[in-house]
Amino acid sequence: MNLQAAVAKALLKLPPGWLVKMSGGGPVALGGRVLDPYLQFIAHGAKRQPPMSSMSPQDGRASAAAGLAMFAAKPEPGVAWEDFAIQASDGHDIPVRLYRPDAQDPAAPLMVYLHMGGGVIGDLETCHAFCTILASSVKGPILSVDYRLAPEHKFPAGFEDAICAYEWALKNAETYGAPPGEAAIGGDSMGGNFSAAVAVAMLEEEKPQPTLQLLVYPATDIVTDFPSRTTYGETYPLSADTMDWFMAHYMAADQDRSDLRISPAFATDFTGLAPAIIVTAGFDPLVDDGAAYAKRLKEAGVDVSYKCYDSLAHGFTAFTAVSPAADATCREIAGMVAAAYAKRR
C-alpha cells in the first residue's frame, strides 16, 4: 500500500461527521437524497484528479485501476477462485475467473458476472471482492468475465463475449457443481447493460433464458435523456461527461443507439423474460434508467425485485472496504440473489 492509500484509509476511519466537515463542510444533498459521508469524502478527494474524459482510454484504465486498488476490499473467506480462458467461436480467448464457495450448494446455479466500466475500462479485479460476496452468500459458483474493451474492440465485441460466456456456462455448469443446462447472469453498470441485453437476445432468439438476471445500476436505454442525467450529472464516479466519453469510445458515431444489444429497454415484448433483481444508486445519472426498466418489466409481467439505495453512488460495489453502507448493501443484494434462488426450487 502506498502512502496516499494508507493516509486515505486512515482518514476514512474517522467519524462520519468529521469526514463531512473535511469534504465540503456539510452533507451533499441532491434531488431529495443525502450522499453517504464516506463516499462524499472519496468524491471530494477525486476532485483534485483530472476527469476521465480528459484522458486516453489507456490512461483512463490505469487511473481507474489505481484508484479502485486504493480502496479494494479483502475477498470473503471460504471462497476459492481460479483464472482460465474460454474460447470464442472465432478462436479468440476470453479470460475468466471462476469463484466457488467451500460450502457449495449443488442446487445453486452458476452465475456469469460482468464488471462495470462503460465498455472501456475495468477487468477481473474491478469486481473481485463483490464476486466473493456473491459466491459466499448464494453458495454457488460465479464466473467473472474479462470481456473485450473499446476502443480497441468496439461494439458489439464486449456484448458478443458476454453472450459467449453465458452460452459456455449453460454447457459447463455441471462441471463446476451447479445444475446442468442453466445459468444466471449479472453485472453492474455496463455489466448490467450486457446482462439485460443477453437476456433480451436469448428471448428474441428463443434460446434458454437465464435463471435470474441481476442488474446493478444498469444502463438499459442510452437514447432517452432521463432527468437523473441532469440532477446527478456531476456526481462521482460517474458523471454525464464520463458517460459521453464511454459511449464515444464504445461505439461508432453512426451506431443506432436503439439497437437492443445496446438499449435492451427498446424490446417490444418482454413476455417470458427471466426474473430480475434490479438495484440502483441514488447519486447516479442512471438511477432513472434502472427504475424505468424495472417498471417496464413489471408491466410486462416479469418477476422483478427493485430497490434504490438513496445514499449510495454509482460504483458502490467497489467501495465495500471503506463505506459501511456500501458493504451492507452488497451483502443485502447477495442475500436477494440467494432468496431468488431458493424461491425457484
Side-chain angles (χ1 to χ4, degrees), residues 184-241:
I185 194 162
D188 53 329
S189 192
M190 195 64 177
N193 171 278
F194 285 152
S195 299
V198 166
V200 167
M202 294 295 102
L203 189 65
E204 295 282 317
E205 297 172 19
E206 299 183 350
K207 292 182 178 180
Q209 274 292 293
T211 301
L212 174 76
Q213 44 179 334
L214 170 63
L215 314 180
V216 182
Y217 36 81
T220 68
D221 173 357
I222 64 169
V223 176
T224 304
D225 191 12
F226 291 101
S228 60
R229 179 182 168 89
T230 299
T231 305
Y232 303 102
E234 297 183 7
T235 52
Y236 174 85
L238 185 67
S239 65
D241 192 43

Side-chain angles (χ1 to χ4, degrees), residues 46-313:
K47 291 179 180 178
R48 306 187 192 98
Q49 305 300 320
M52 186 167 291
S53 58
S54 69
M55 303 180 190
S56 69
Q58 296 75 21
D59 288 344
R61 287 172 200 152
S63 176
L68 292 177
M70 285 179 59
F71 305 113
K74 293 181 180 179
E76 290 292 290
V79 177
W81 59 87
E82 61 173 316
D83 291 355
F84 56 97
I86 60 178
Q87 193 171 68
S89 58
D90 66 0
H92 79 271
D93 285 341
I94 305 171
V96 296
R97 179 173 294 167
L98 184 87
Y99 300 85
R100 295 184 72 179
D102 291 345
Q104 185 170 331
D105 179 355
L110 188 158
M111 173 180 280
V112 175
Y113 195 85
L114 302 145
H115 65 76
M116 61 182 168
V120 179
I121 66 174
D123 55 26
L124 295 176
E125 300 307 319
T126 305
C127 57
H128 180 60
F130 184 52
C131 283
T132 65
I133 291 174
L134 281 173
S136 177
S137 181
V138 307
K139 294 180 171 48
I142 309 292
L143 184 77
S144 180
V145 183
D146 194 10
Y147 52 83
R148 288 173 292 173
L149 299 175
E152 295 88 345
H153 304 283
K154 284 187 177 290
F155 169 82
F159 170 77
E160 289 175 345
D161 285 355
I163 286 278
C164 180
Y166 172 70
E167 293 187 329
W168 181 92
L170 290 176
K171 297 175 183 176
N172 292 275
E174 189 173 18
T175 303
Y176 299 98
E182 64 174 291
I185 194 162
D188 53 329
S189 192
M190 195 64 177
N193 171 278
F194 285 152
S195 299
V198 166
V200 167
M202 294 295 102
L203 189 65
E204 295 282 317
E205 297 172 19
E206 299 183 350
K207 292 182 178 180
Q209 274 292 293
T211 301
L212 174 76
Q213 44 179 334
L214 170 63
L215 314 180
V216 182
Y217 36 81
T220 68
D221 173 357
I222 64 169
V223 176
T224 304
D225 191 12
F226 291 101
S228 60
R229 179 182 168 89
T230 299
T231 305
Y232 303 102
E234 297 183 7
T235 52
Y236 174 85
L238 185 67
S239 65
D241 192 43
T242 303
M243 289 169 62
D244 290 341
W245 182 82
F246 281 144
M247 291 299 99
H249 289 298
Y250 178 63
M251 60 190 179
D254 61 352
Q255 173 63 47
D256 175 10
R257 293 189 166 210
S258 65
D259 187 310
L260 299 187
R261 298 170 297 172
I262 300 174
S263 293
F266 278 79
T268 56
D269 187 0
F270 294 108
T271 305
L273 195 69
I277 295 172
I278 303 177
V279 171
T280 54
F283 282 75
D284 186 351
L286 293 175
V287 60
D288 289 351
D289 183 340
Y293 195 60
K295 183 180 179 182
R296 282 209 62 198
L297 296 194
K298 284 184 178 179
E299 290 174 345
V302 179
D303 183 2
V304 178
S305 297
Y306 171 73
K307 186 169 184 178
C308 177
Y309 293 89
D310 284 341
S311 70
L312 297 184

